[in-house]
Structures are given as structure tokens and as C-alpha cells.
Amino acid sequence: AQSVTQPDIHITVSEGASLELRCNYSYGATPYLFWYVQSPGQGLQLLLKYFSGDTLVQGIKGFEAEFKRSQSSFNLRKPSVHWSDAAEYFCAVGPYNQGGKLIFGQGTELSVKP
Amino acid sequence: NAGVTQTPKFQVLKTGQSMTLQCAQDMNHNSMYWYRQDPGMGLRLIYYSASEGTTDKGEVPNGYNVSRLNKREFSLRLESAAPSQTSVYFCASSEGGLSAEAFFGQGTRLTVV
């Protein structure tokens, strides 16, 4: 079965601390992987995406993610969190030729302590 | 550039009523999608349209119908609303083809009482 698992429902970090959000996927074909961010009451904004090439991908707002095929993981990281990063983060997987036909994880809500 | 525009933003329906959620994109994208978002479940695909003139079921199509009116517009219809359809609905569009990502609208918060 195709699925995406985000094991952490809610994470709290202090401002300036590093962040890692976990994502594991199960997908029958070559995965096309995404991280989206959603601020309260807003739509989803793409942070970064990966299909092939360098397994460490850079995104917007200082985020990066690392694809590890052997672990079926695509974890999101940021070296230093800002208060404005508080939001909900979604990992998603889909087919390379239909980038909107996505399977989403349950989401991880990030809170940032001052 | 407006991107993906959804109307209405909020709606309250009574059980059994019908309504249509509207979505329009101005990016000349080929593919359009409807998702629903429920707490703890992420987003789930209801229907999608890979190109103008085609529609296909997603993961949770029961209770919904869609119409791809033209390249810009993709509507979602609830014929007889049920409380289980209380959700936030998102429309998205993508170029289609290789390596294209989806762009999302701001969502419609629907409550069925």
C-alpha cells in the first residue's frame, strides 16, 4: 500500500534551535517527494521537492531535506528555527508525471518557543 | 497573479442540501485536483482532472461529483451533504507532465449540520 508516515504529530522547539521533521514513505514506483508548509487558515506552500539527483535538496526559507532510499525517508531540516516557522508541515509523495496527485502524511505541527 | 482561487471561503450547509465549490486557476495549468483536509489525516485526494475533458476518482470520491468546465475551472459538487463531509476543501493545479508541482488555493471551510 502507498502511504506516508509522519511519526511526530506535534513538535516544540526553541527559537534558534535546530529542527528535524521525520517522514517515511511507502510507494510502489520511483517516488516524487515533497514538503509543504501550511500556516493557520492558509493554503499549502511548497518548501522543496525531490525526484532524482543530489539526495540533499535545498528549499525556501532555509529548509533542506535529505532523501535516503534505503530507509524510505525524506526528513526535513533547518539549522536555526525562527518564530515565523511555526506552522503545520506536510510530507507528500506522488508520481513524477502527475505532481499534484499526492499522498500526504498526517502532518507535523511545529510550535516555536521564544 | 491570483494563482488558484476558491469560492466560497466558508459555508454552512444543512444535512441533505447540495452545493458546488468553485475553483479557478490562471496559470494555464493542465491538471487540477480536489482534496479534503481532516484533522490528523492530512490531505486526501477526492477527484482530479489530468487534462481538460477528463476526470478521475481519487482516494475518497464517494458523495462527490466534479466538472472540469474548461481549462481554468474545476468544480466540486456535493449532491446531498452529510456531516461526514464537514472538512476543509482545497483545490490545486499543476502543469502536468514531468516534475511539475501542485499549487494550492486558500481552501473552503465547509460545515454540515
Side-chain angles (χ1 to χ4, degrees):
Chain A
Q2 299 175 102
S3 64
V4 175
T5 301
Q6 295 179 243
D8 304 304
I9 296 173
H10 190 192
I11 284 181
T12 300
V13 299
S14 297
E15 191 167 16
S18 64
L19 171 70
E20 182 169 26
L21 302 182
R22 296 181 291 164
C23 173
N24 292 97
Y25 67 89
S26 173
Y27 197 71
T30 302
Y32 186 20
L33 293 154
F34 303 83
W35 275 99
Y36 282 89
V37 60
Q38 183 182 33
S39 298
Q42 300 297 310
L44 279 72
Q45 181 183 22
L46 180 68
L47 286 176
L48 47 77
K49 62 182 181 180
Y50 173 80
F51 174 71
S52 64
D54 191 345
T55 56
L56 185 64
V57 293
Q58 303 297 320
I60 63 170
K61 304 186 181 189
F63 285 92
E64 65 179 27
E66 185 172 13
F67 172 65
K68 293 186 177 180
R69 185 183 300 276
S70 62
Q71 299 177 21
S72 297
S73 69
F74 188 56
N75 294 347
L76 182 71
R77 300 195 294 247
K78 187 169 185 179
S80 177
V81 169
H82 188 262
W83 64 265
S84 60
D85 292 324
E88 189 153 23
Y89 292 79
F90 292 94
C91 181
V93 65
Y96 188 54
N97 63 347
Q98 190 61 250
K101 189 181 172 186
L102 298 169
I103 299 168
F104 281 85
Q106 303 92 323
T108 297
E109 185 178 355
L110 173 66
S111 297
V112 181
K113 292 190 300 185
Chain B
N1 239 355
V4 179
T5 303
Q6 294 182 232
T7 54
K9 288 184 169 47
F10 301 94
Q11 184 71 49
V12 178
L13 286 179
K14 294 182 178 178
T15 298
Q17 286 185 319
S18 62
M19 80 161 295
T20 300
L21 281 63
Q22 306 286 353
C23 175
Q25 52 92 8
D26 62 3
M27 295 173 282
N28 200 36
H29 284 168
N30 291 312
S31 302
M32 298 186 73
Y33 312 84
W34 277 105
Y35 287 87
R36 61 178 288 173
Q37 182 180 24
D38 302 293
M41 302 190 72
L43 282 79
R44 292 177 293 168
L45 184 63
I46 305 171
Y47 271 94
Y48 67 101
S49 171
S51 60
E52 188 178 356
T54 69
T55 60
D56 283 290
K57 295 178 180 179
E59 180 186 354
V60 288
N62 291 346
Y64 305 95
N65 286 300
V66 290
S67 296
R68 182 75 183 266
L69 304 169
N70 48 55
K71 192 172 185 179
R72 290 187 65 247
E73 299 172 288
F74 189 38
S75 63
L76 179 71
R77 183 160 177 85
L78 287 69
E79 291 291 351
S80 179
S84 61
Q85 295 178 303
T86 293
S87 189
V88 182
Y89 291 85
F90 286 97
C91 178
S93 71
S94 74
E95 181 68 30
L98 303 180
S99 78
E101 72 260 27
F103 295 82
F104 285 80
Q106 296 297 295
T108 296
R109 185 172 294 276
L110 175 67
T111 302
V112 183
V113 297

